[in-house]
Amino acid sequence: MPLPTDNQLAAAPLSIAVFGPGFGESIVLRAGTADGAEWAVVDSARRERENGATINPSLKLLEYCNAHPSLVVFTHPHEDHAGGMAHLVERAADGATVGSVEPLMSARTPLQTHRDPDDRRAQRRTEVRNAHIAISQAWAGRARKWALVADAQPFLLGGWQVSVLNPGAPELADAVANMEAGQKVRLNNLSAALLLERDAIRLVLAADCERAAWTKVASRLNPNHLRATRPVKVPHHGSKGAIHDVLIRYATLDAGRAQVVTPFPSSGALPRFEVDQGADRLLRAAGELLLTALPVDLLPRSDATTIDEVRNALTTEHFAGDTDFAIEDADPATTAALAAGARDPLETWVLLSIHLDGTVAVTRGGHAVRLVA
Amino acid sequence: MTAALDALDAALEEPGNAAYAVGGAGAGKSAAARAVAEVAADRGFEPILVAPPSGAPDAGIAGVGTVVRRLGGGVSKRDGWDVACRKAHDGLAARAGDVVVVCDEPSSWLGGDRYFGARGAEAREILTGAGAAWPVVVCDRSGRKGRTFPLPDAQASELGEAGIWGPTASAALALLESGIAPVLRTPLQQRLAVALMAWGAESLPAFSEASPLAAALAAQLARRRHGAKLWEVWQRLALERLDADDDLLKALGADELDQLGSFTLRAVLLDGGHRLHDICRRVAEERPVDPDLRAQQKAATHELLFERHYAVFAQLAAADSAYSGDHAAEALFHATELGDGTRQHLVTVDLVDQLNALGHRRSVVHGDHLGAAAVFLRALQADDRNGYAIHHRGYALDALGESPGEVETRYEEAIELNSSRPEWHARRVAFFADFARPSAARAAWARAETAVPDDLDDPEWYESLNGAVAATLIEQGELAFARYVLDGVPEWARLDLHRRLDSALRGRTAAQDKGAFVPAPRSSRAWWAERPARLPARDGAGRLLERWLAGRVEEVGEEQIQIYVARVDPDGGEPRRGLMRLAPDVWDQHVLDDVVADELTPGRFIEIGSYAAEQGNVRAIVVLPVEPVDQPVPTLDPERWLRDAALAPTDG
């Protein structure tokens, strides 16, 4: 069974299935209640199987569990979080709450696409636009609106309080002004990071927030507040630029803190595995790292994979005498398997089972890897 | 004109078997039709000249309307098309002994989309086909075997005929003497060639067909101070769809022309006083010298033509004349062209399909979906069971991104009335897909599949349905669904569109699978070239380009820019592909364009060159311009459903 099973999902008061099928990220949450369970889904990611079928693993899981989420969240308008979002919104329960960063939903934003059918990015931007259309139409109809901003009213999922850490209202206002002035805006820094809390248990789904966003978050919070959270869905696919002391302090080892990374893009660009890059720093922060999708066929089969073993899967070639223009070889013969297309997207997940005593059990899909130093 | 009169004789001798006066473009068919009508009248018959706006979507509909009105019968909107056709047929049959039907080029009634083309074909069949028991003369490009009377080719010697060439006589003689004249086989070709030379052209276009001659004349006029006024009148005249008369010409400014201009207008362009030839009309439409000025002139001319037709309509209607309806239709046409709702409501037409044709023109030609929505609503107020109006009212709202509930209802209603229109199904599926309702889109597709006729042998049917739906779904990223739709086209119906969509779909799927380099089998053309498109072989210092990479910007971060690159194998092998990361300052240092790292966006295609230098190579980057790429099938922009996103009420 490639997807997490019913039993696995029901084994803890809160189960979080992080899907990262090699391009994109989506998270399904199941909060057990006295009446059964409440479900939520954060972002959407889908990709093709080798047989040509489109797979949206989160949707598949919800269908498999006959679940209709009471909360759907779209953290930010980037294509790797948007693919198939319309299906998830459609899957939501009647009266569900749908959250999105509303000021980014206008057609005036960088969403505007030039409709070049040859441009892969144009297609993905289209998926963002579809997500926004689905959300705006849901708001106009059967869904409750949750405008994602740091001071928004929290949402209650089962016994868990879900609140918005980022973006703050001032940053959003600045961003909208900049967009309207035709300036570039880093949408990652406006992505909606979420904090889940129940009694003493706190955990973070950090979306794609990068350093500037965390600096703002730090200015709003006690700096130690988030470092105590566990587990963490690591921000921005484990990029070095997203690792900030307010959430992840790599100078000090906090052994056993579960960290989940969804690799992006499928060429293996994030996280980077070189010394002092993202994966290295995350290992220094917690001693291990859970990656939802790596080319397991290229790696030694074991419970844990070392970062050196992954490094060996990438080779680097330089133009003679010119390190500025180094080219990392991505020839299909050596690294094609790094592309997630060869993998089953239904196997690209990490399941976190969170118990009320704070313990976290981890289950992995067939293409997920536990990375160690 | 002998051929046309021979055709009239043949028609009178054998009513029920149409006779044809035939000739090519510019042979004088329209003039012949009018001459036949006049002669028929002289012989005591009532001629019914059916000369609706040539090439217009409503030509067939207007033609039937004209016949019904001439016969003194009325058509009420509720009667609809079938009743109008029956009235035309029955009315003519009842008066078969005292009428002569003269049709001006009914082959031009088949324009517009499938719907209006079918109406035109039906009109032609009713008026001239096997069931027509009355005398019929058809002036057209071809006719029924054994019943055709060819209009004669123009003779070169006619160029020398004294008197008929007026102020252009010397140009006519010069042409005759040049030896070019024998290739000028139609009267229109001759007239245009003579005018061209008379207006100072030094040579004729290489192939002296009417169309290039007309284009050359227009260009010649536009260049000359005295010609510009005639060119303006010509362009304005092209907006009148029926015959021109002196009042109209005066209103359009013909009185201000000099002698040569006036002669050219009347003798050359108007063939002695009827309507502008389609070729001349098209040239005027396609060759505006100044588009802004042209737009102003068009609006002013439509206004003038509205006022003219409206005045005639009012006058004739007051006199209870059967001719008033033609002018009402034209007044409405010009009001619709103006997008003027107030004027549109001053007149009405007696066939809902004429409103449909105007709505179609407003929507398809002008892209004015708001105007089209109003026209179709008006059609529905007259006949709320008209499937075309129902569907297109929905489509206009869909295109506007307005009233999704009504869009859905209209699409559904139209299919309930007539489920055999593939494009109606296609638009319904596309609407749901664009509206982010994937399950509804699938249900609509399932419904569409049930509408495929069992004995279908028309590949265009699949293009209209599967092709259009697949294009939308590919655009939406619904790739598996798109694959299912495309695979539903049987092998025998897989034409060029299918191949192009299939190629695009395979490219998109590959892009998702491989996630990296070439997004489609055919990437941005310039990027995937086999050699530099913009980087020069030598740079400004004369250094030789040693190495070249095609690249595409994948990510632009604060710390680095990621670029996918390909080194093309000069021997034609697979390109070597790789990932390059540059610091923004390195980019800024090497880029030759104004696109600095801060302004760079992912998806841009670039070239990276390496020029040989004495001490290390010199790198250079150029950014290729974004090229527009044709869509295999035009689809509505889904962003139309995003406009109101920020208006949704806030909850908590």
Side-chain angles (χ1 to χ4, degrees):
Chain A
M1 172 54 66
L3 286 170
T5 64
D6 274 342
N7 286 342
Q8 287 170 327
L9 288 159
L14 180 65
S15 298
I16 302 177
V18 181
F19 289 98
F23 181 83
E25 173 178 303
S26 181
I27 303 166
V28 174
L29 299 97
R30 179 194 182 280
T33 65
D35 301 327
E38 270 198 65
W39 296 78
V41 59
V42 178
D43 291 331
S44 185
R46 65 178 170 187
R47 62 169 305 112
E48 306 295 302
R49 288 177 105 155
E50 285 191 315
N51 64 7
T54 299
I55 297 295
N56 183 335
S58 292
L59 180 66
K60 206 80 183 166
L61 181 63
L62 293 171
E63 288 172 348
Y64 167 70
C65 296
N66 195 25
H68 295 274
S70 52
L71 173 66
V72 178
V73 169
F74 184 41
T75 61
H76 66 296
H78 270 161
E79 58 273 21
D80 55 317
H81 296 248
M85 177 57 81
H87 296 259
L88 294 179
V89 172
E90 201 173 48
R91 180 80 198 173
D94 281 341
T97 294
V98 176
S100 181
V101 185
E102 187 180 16
L104 305 182
M105 292 174 65
S106 154
R108 293 188 304 272
T109 69
L111 296 178
Q112 283 177 334
T113 59
H114 66 92
R115 304 169 83 200
D116 177 349
D118 284 350
D119 179 357
R120 179 165 61 94
R121 290 203 151 261
Q123 175 188 332
R124 292 176 179 170
R125 283 191 294 267
T126 305
E127 294 187 346
V128 168
R129 182 182 56 196
N130 283 11
H132 279 169
I133 290 172
I135 292 166
S136 63
Q137 299 307 334
W139 283 354
R142 63 192 185 93
R144 292 161 59 91
K145 173 175 168 181
W146 192 22
L148 300 175
V149 64
D151 57 358
Q153 187 80 19
F155 179 88
L156 279 176
L157 180 76
W160 299 80
Q161 176 175 292
V162 185
S163 50
V164 182
L165 289 171
N166 188 71
E171 300 98 270
L172 268 177
D174 287 349
V176 169
N178 287 338
M179 283 189 286
E180 289 182 346
Q183 293 172 17
K184 260 178 59 174
V185 169
R186 295 285 294 174
L187 293 175
N188 281 345
N189 285 328
L190 301 170
S191 62
L194 302 177
L195 175 68
L196 273 76
E197 296 175 275
R198 179 168 178 173
D199 301 329
I201 304 170
R202 286 174 293 156
L203 57 104
V204 170
L205 307 178
D208 273 2
C209 295
E210 296 184 73
R211 184 171 294 124
W214 294 116
T215 302
K216 293 288 184 186
V217 170
S219 72
R220 290 191 286 267
L221 295 173
N222 174 342
N224 295 320
H225 182 76
L226 294 181
R227 279 213 295 276
T229 59
R230 55 182 65 213
V232 172
K233 197 293 293 176
V234 171
H236 194 224
H237 316 285
S239 78
K240 175 181 168 181
I243 299 172
H244 188 287
D245 268 1
V246 72
L247 181 66
I248 298 165
R249 187 169 195 180
Y250 64 90
T252 315
L253 179 67
D254 180 6
R257 188 192 199 200
Q259 307 177 109
V260 184
V261 165
T262 55
F264 171 89
S266 40
S267 61
L270 289 177
R272 292 180 64 177
F273 295 96
E274 298 95 320
V275 173
D276 205 33
Q277 291 294 326
D280 189 30
R281 288 189 177 184
L282 288 166
L283 287 179
R284 282 148 61 189
E288 69 174 49
L289 180 60
L290 297 158
L291 293 138
T292 55
L294 275 189
V296 290
D297 293 349
L298 281 191
L299 300 170
R301 289 188 179 277
S302 61
D303 175 59
T305 303
T306 68
I307 192 167
D308 282 339
E309 287 168 335
V310 176
R311 283 173 185 156
N312 290 337
L314 276 175
T315 58
T316 302
E317 176 197 341
H318 294 273
F319 282 3
D322 191 345
T323 51
D324 279 347
F325 282 74
I327 297 178
E328 291 165 32
D329 194 345
D331 189 275
T334 57
T335 59
L338 285 174
R343 287 170 245 160
D344 184 344
L346 296 180
E347 296 272 18
T348 55
W349 51 267
V350 169
L351 176 66
L352 303 166
S353 303
I354 296 145
H355 296 274
L356 294 181
D357 62 2
T359 57
V360 179
V362 175
T363 317
R364 302 197 311 259
H367 281 94
V369 162
R370 185 165 72 93
L371 190 73
V372 294
Chain B
M1 204 50 63
T2 313
L5 298 183
D6 289 346
L8 174 61
D9 290 340
L12 291 171
E13 278 170 21
E14 201 178 336
N17 193 359
Y20 293 81
V22 300
K29 296 184 290 295
S30 292
R34 283 150 183 80
V36 166
E38 277 181 28
V39 173
D42 289 346
R43 294 186 188 177
F45 292 93
E46 182 177 343
I48 299 182
L49 175 63
V50 189
S54 176
D58 60 337
I61 299 158
V64 167
T66 297
V67 172
V68 176
R69 288 190 289 268
R70 295 288 187 281
L71 293 169
V75 188
S76 84
K77 300 180 196 76
R78 279 276 177 187
D79 285 348
W81 173 247
D82 292 341
V83 174
C85 290
R86 195 167 62 243
K87 283 185 174 178
H89 177 273
D90 294 351
L92 288 171
R95 297 183 54 190
D98 58 30
V99 297
V100 174
V101 174
V102 185
C103 294
D104 185 4
E105 205 167 356
S107 62
S108 73
W109 303 352
L110 312 179
D113 67 1
R114 192 191 296 236
Y115 179 85
F116 295 108
R119 290 282 195 258
E122 232 176 314
R124 182 172 66 169
E125 178 60 23
I126 286 162
L127 301 179
T128 73
W134 44 87
V136 185
V137 176
V138 180
C139 299
D140 212 337
R141 290 168 176 270
S142 61
R144 205 173 297 148
K145 198 174 178 184
R147 298 286 287 172
T148 59
F149 299 87
L151 294 164
D153 282 352
Q155 299 300 308
S157 59
E158 290 170 18
L159 288 168
E161 285 183 16
I164 67 167
W165 293 102
T168 62
S170 58
L173 277 175
L175 266 181
L176 180 62
E177 289 161 8
S178 70
I180 298 170
V183 304
L184 305 171
R185 291 167 189 253
T186 69
L188 182 64
Q189 281 173 274
Q190 280 197 349
R191 295 198 306 269
L192 289 168
V194 169
L196 189 56
M197 303 307 284
W199 280 92
E202 293 176 359
S203 62
L204 298 180
F207 298 98
S208 294
E209 300 295 332
S211 190
L213 282 168
L217 176 59
Q220 184 70 11
L221 293 175
R223 275 199 294 270
R224 291 175 61 93
R225 191 159 56 90
H226 295 298
K229 181 66 189 173
L230 173 57
W231 174 228
E232 186 189 332
V233 175
W234 178 355
Q235 289 183 89
R236 299 179 76 192
L237 181 61
L239 301 178
E240 168 58 63
R241 308 198 303 169
L242 301 183
D243 291 2
D245 59 20
D246 285 344
D247 284 346
L248 174 63
L249 295 179
K250 186 176 175 184
L252 295 179
D255 278 6
E256 297 164 33
L257 298 173
D258 60 13
Q259 188 195 16
L260 178 60
S262 184
F263 182 85
T264 306
L265 175 66
R266 289 170 187 276
V268 177
L269 299 174
L270 285 174
D271 187 21
H274 295 117
R275 69 171 66 185
L276 196 63
H277 195 279
D278 284 352
I279 287 172
C280 299
R281 185 187 307 279
R282 203 158 45 240
V283 165
E285 192 65 37
E286 292 171 358
R287 293 180 58 91
V289 176
D290 177 344
D292 290 339
L293 179 63
R294 171 75 173 144
Q296 290 171 22
Q297 287 174 347
K298 278 177 82 167
T301 308
H302 281 304
E303 197 169 348
L304 185 150
L305 293 173
F306 168 83
E307 297 297 344
R308 176 175 176 271
H309 284 290
Y310 181 70
V312 177
F313 154 72
Q315 190 183 1
L316 294 178
D320 210 16
S321 165
Y323 293 82
S324 65
D326 293 351
H327 293 278
E330 290 309 298
L332 189 56
F333 169 80
H334 292 292
T336 311
E337 289 298 280
L338 283 168
D340 183 335
T342 306
R343 282 191 170 96
Q344 284 178 49
H345 279 85
L346 288 176
V347 281
T348 187
V349 291
D350 47 17
L351 279 168
V352 169
D353 275 338
Q354 283 186 296
L355 283 168
N356 286 342
L358 294 178
H360 169 267
R361 187 170 165 80
R362 205 65 233 157
S363 167
V364 173
V365 177
H366 298 291
D368 171 15
H369 300 293
L370 190 62
V375 173
F376 287 119
L377 183 61
R378 200 170 160 200
L380 288 172
Q381 285 162 353
D383 178 3
D384 60 7
R385 300 284 292 168
N386 185 299
Y388 189 93
I390 292 170
H391 173 81
H392 282 273
R393 163 76 182 170
Y395 179 65
L397 293 172
D398 187 5
L400 289 167
E402 299 278 356
S403 310
E406 186 179 346
V407 175
E408 186 174 348
T409 306
R410 297 290 188 196
Y411 281 167
E412 177 66 28
E413 267 185 285
I415 284 171
E416 287 297 326
L417 281 170
N418 179 0
S419 73
S420 68
R421 303 295 303 264
E423 65 274 25
W424 292 5
H425 286 285
R427 292 193 185 115
R428 184 161 173 260
V429 180
F431 161 70
F432 286 127
D434 284 350
F435 203 57
R437 289 174 59 187
S439 298
R442 283 190 177 273
W445 177 253
R447 172 81 184 278
E449 282 184 310
T450 65
V452 180
D454 291 338
D455 55 350
L456 184 65
D457 58 359
D458 177 11
E460 279 186 24
W461 210 94
Y462 287 104
E463 295 204 336
S464 301
L465 178 60
N466 299 58
V469 169
T472 295
L473 295 174
I474 293 170
E475 157 103 14
Q476 298 289 1
E478 295 285 348
L479 304 186
F481 190 1
R483 171 52 62 202
Y484 177 80
V485 169
L486 272 188
D487 287 351
V489 180
E491 289 286 344
W492 60 265
R494 295 183 177 182
L495 304 181
D496 181 56
L497 176 63
H498 186 278
R499 280 193 290 275
R500 292 167 65 197
L501 287 168
D502 186 60
S503 166
L505 179 54
R506 277 189 286 111
R508 290 281 169 98
T509 307
Q512 282 211 357
D513 277 349
K514 306 305 174 194
F517 311 107
V518 185
R522 172 180 62 86
S523 182
S524 177
R525 295 180 188 98
W527 185 73
W528 203 231
E530 293 174 352
R531 56 189 177 280
R534 284 194 53 210
L535 277 173
R538 287 184 183 276
D539 70 2
R543 293 177 288 233
L544 191 65
L545 179 66
E546 271 206 335
R547 187 171 291 145
W548 172 77
L549 295 168
R552 191 187 62 209
V553 178
E554 185 66 9
E555 293 291 328
V556 181
E558 289 168 356
E559 295 173 1
Q560 66 177 13
I561 297 164
Q562 293 182 33
I563 304 162
Y564 284 119
V565 293
R567 186 151 62 202
V568 176
D569 181 352
D571 298 327
E574 274 289 299
R576 179 91 180 270
R577 295 154 176 175
L579 182 66
M580 178 183 282
R581 295 186 173 100
L582 294 182
D585 60 328
V586 175
W587 170 278
D588 288 345
Q589 183 189 341
H590 291 90
V591 70
L592 301 181
D593 300 291
D594 294 334
V595 187
V596 295
D598 271 354
E599 296 167 356
L600 189 63
T601 50
R604 296 300 298 270
F605 291 96
I606 66 172
E607 292 179 5
I608 302 165
S610 179
Y611 290 88
E614 286 180 9
Q615 292 186 329
N617 284 351
V618 176
R619 313 295 184 201
I621 300 171
V622 291
V623 183
L624 301 178
V626 176
E627 296 175 9
V629 178
D630 292 337
Q631 291 273 56
V633 176
T635 54
L636 293 175
D637 185 348
E639 247 166 46
R640 68 195 185 280
W641 292 115
L642 252 187
R643 287 173 308 135
D644 296 333
L647 303 177
T650 300
D651 182 3

